[in-house]
Amino acid sequence: MGDITSVDVEEDQFAYRYDTQLLIDRRDEDLDEDEITDYIMEHFEGNCLIAAGDEDLIKIHFHTNEPWKILEYGNSIGEIYDIVVEDMIRQSAGLQG
């Protein structure tokens, strides 16, 4: 049974392959980390969401298969920068090889 759990954890780890990180800087209206968290969870598939900051700056960290959607959303509510999208499957394969 332990082996099955490991396999599940491994598959779940890469269910969403892109580790997407960005900063959103306030444009016109104050940013609200709770609203941003709720919006992302309701509208985008993924896991491991972290949205932290204040009304002027929010850092987003999210695992998803569609990172461009997160970037579009971020750009719709503020100025986005320091964008990092890492393919965790390729990264993992590289570390093992």
Side-chain angles (χ1 to χ4, degrees):
M1 192 165 208
D3 290 340
I4 293 170
T5 305
S6 315
V7 170
D8 288 346
V9 167
E10 188 69 21
E11 285 176 2
D12 195 45
Q13 182 185 355
F14 296 122
Y16 301 103
R17 76 184 285 170
Y18 296 105
D19 179 356
T20 308
Q21 301 171 51
L22 64 145
L23 295 175
I24 306 172
D25 210 356
R26 181 180 191 275
R27 186 183 290 136
D28 299 317
E29 298 180 17
D30 286 355
L31 299 170
D32 182 321
E33 66 184 79
D34 294 330
E35 281 181 22
I36 291 169
T37 298
D38 292 345
Y39 188 91
I40 291 174
M41 294 307 292
E42 288 170 21
H43 293 87
F44 306 110
E45 274 195 52
N47 62 15
C48 299
L49 173 63
I50 300 169
D54 57 31
E55 65 275 1
D56 295 317
L57 180 68
I58 300 282
K59 179 178 173 92
I60 303 288
H61 174 268
F62 191 52
H63 294 176
T64 181
N65 289 330
E66 301 173 315
W68 54 90
K69 291 186 176 180
I70 301 300
L71 300 181
E72 285 176 345
Y73 168 64
N75 190 56
S76 75
I77 60 171
E79 302 297 331
I80 60 173
Y81 65 103
D82 282 5
I83 298 161
V84 177
V85 178
E86 294 178 337
D87 184 332
M88 294 182 290
I89 293 176
R90 290 177 61 94
Q91 197 175 43
S92 174
L95 292 173
Q96 291 170 1

